Amino acid sequence: RACSAELIFPHSLEGEPFQIDCGVRVQGNTSRSASSNPKHSLRLAFRGQYGKSKLNYRFFGEDGPAEFDTLVLRSNSQDGWVYSSARNRLGQFVRDAWARETHRRMGHASPDSNWVHLYLNGLYWGLYNVVERPDASFMSSYFGGEKEEYGSTNHGGPVSGPQDRFDVLLRLAQEGGLADAERYATMLEFIDPMHFADYLIVNWYAGNQDWPENNWYAGVPYPAGPNHFFVWDAEATWDSGAEI
């Protein structure tokens, strides 16, 4: 739906506010169970049909991207007191952000985030984590080129752009036989093993219980280059199974 999004700083903080006409929609699976997840995540879409086609604002600091097609407002509902599970009512809000930032500090591109207090039509909805969505536009920002040169996919299926190179990677992994030098060399055309190893380490170390069958993103280059995997929705971490 069409909306007006505004960023307002309190008097105690320095920053440049903005206002932009854009679209807004409910984000993620928590929207399907309002009784157990009353605090929904949202996604802002910057498109010409609403106003400007991009948000031109360094939301994550001077070293971050200067423009965005979309931003996700994560509610962290399953890591907050509003979720209908006693073991999740810890209200830490930082598990997912910790995992993404850790992958970044291991030397890899990872969706950045920032914290805001969200008001909808003047009604306070609580603390939200504004996050980059690791789609084709994200890939373009971090790896260069145009977004048309990339695709993205996640556990739900294709998100945007071509999927050819991800499909080949999946087929090679399923076929196995990577002890063969030639087959392994072919695999290296479609994945960076150091990047993927660190991605696995973050999820294993934090004991991610809602992965890998759920909650992952992959950036797909086209026509060449390795697929990149990104931590996503790592709320079910630092519980039983984590390396504490």
Side-chain angles (χ1 to χ4, degrees), residues 82 103 178 215 242:
V82 298
H103 197 210
L178 298 180
N215 298 331

Side-chain angles (χ1 to χ4, degrees), residues 4-243:
S4 171
E6 301 177 34
L7 179 65
I8 303 171
F9 285 85
H11 293 303
S12 59
L13 292 178
E14 294 184 1
E16 186 67 28
F18 71 75
Q19 182 279 327
I20 187 171
D21 293 333
C22 60
V24 62
R25 63 174 299 174
V26 175
Q27 160 82 19
N29 290 331
T30 55
S31 62
R32 301 175 185 174
S33 51
S35 60
S36 62
N37 298 280
K39 185 182 177 186
H40 300 322
S41 294
L42 304 168
R43 182 159 66 88
L44 300 179
F46 309 109
R47 299 173 182 168
Q49 68 189 85
Y50 304 113
K52 295 181 179 179
S53 60
K54 291 184 180 294
L55 171 65
N56 296 297
Y57 188 86
R58 293 194 180 274
F59 206 98
F60 307 111
E62 292 302 315
D63 296 331
E67 59 181 27
F68 302 92
D69 289 346
T70 187
L71 287 171
V72 176
L73 281 68
R74 285 184 46 82
S75 67
N76 292 280
S77 62
Q78 296 185 40
D79 189 18
W81 63 272
V82 298
Y83 190 58
S84 63
S85 173
R87 71 180 180 87
N88 282 328
R89 292 187 177 180
L90 302 176
Q92 293 181 336
F93 286 93
V94 297
R95 301 175 190 225
D96 174 66
W98 177 92
R100 285 184 285 98
E101 183 61 22
T102 298
H103 197 210
R104 173 190 301 280
R105 297 196 182 199
M106 296 170 85
H108 307 291
S110 181
D112 209 345
S113 65
N114 213 333
W115 297 94
V116 299
H117 291 281
L118 180 66
Y119 291 81
L120 294 179
N121 296 328
L123 179 66
Y124 181 61
W125 270 50
L127 185 65
Y128 275 70
N129 195 208
V130 183
V131 182
E132 292 180 277
R133 186 178 187 234
D135 54 15
S137 181
F138 171 91
M139 292 289 291
S140 173
S141 295
Y142 282 87
F143 297 99
E146 302 298 326
K147 67 178 182 180
E148 289 76 18
E149 300 173 36
Y150 299 97
S152 65
T153 187
N154 62 21
H155 63 272
V159 175
S160 62
Q163 308 293 308
D164 307 53
R165 295 187 66 77
F166 182 81
D167 293 341
V168 173
L169 172 65
L170 184 61
R171 176 177 58 80
L172 292 172
Q174 291 171 337
E175 290 175 352
L178 298 180
D180 179 80
E182 185 175 345
R183 293 177 67 89
Y184 184 66
T186 301
M187 173 68 89
L188 294 183
E189 297 178 17
F190 297 89
I191 194 169
D192 179 344
M194 294 299 293
H195 165 88
F196 187 62
D198 286 345
Y199 164 80
L200 296 178
I201 288 170
V202 171
N203 284 284
W204 286 340
Y205 183 75
N208 195 340
Q209 299 178 57
D210 199 12
W211 167 89
E213 67 280 359
N214 287 313
N215 298 331
W216 55 268
Y217 259 86
V220 186
Y222 187 82
N227 294 272
H228 286 77
F229 286 79
F230 305 105
V231 177
W232 188 255
D233 197 9
E235 293 177 353
T237 50
W238 296 110
D239 202 337
S240 58
E243 292 293 335

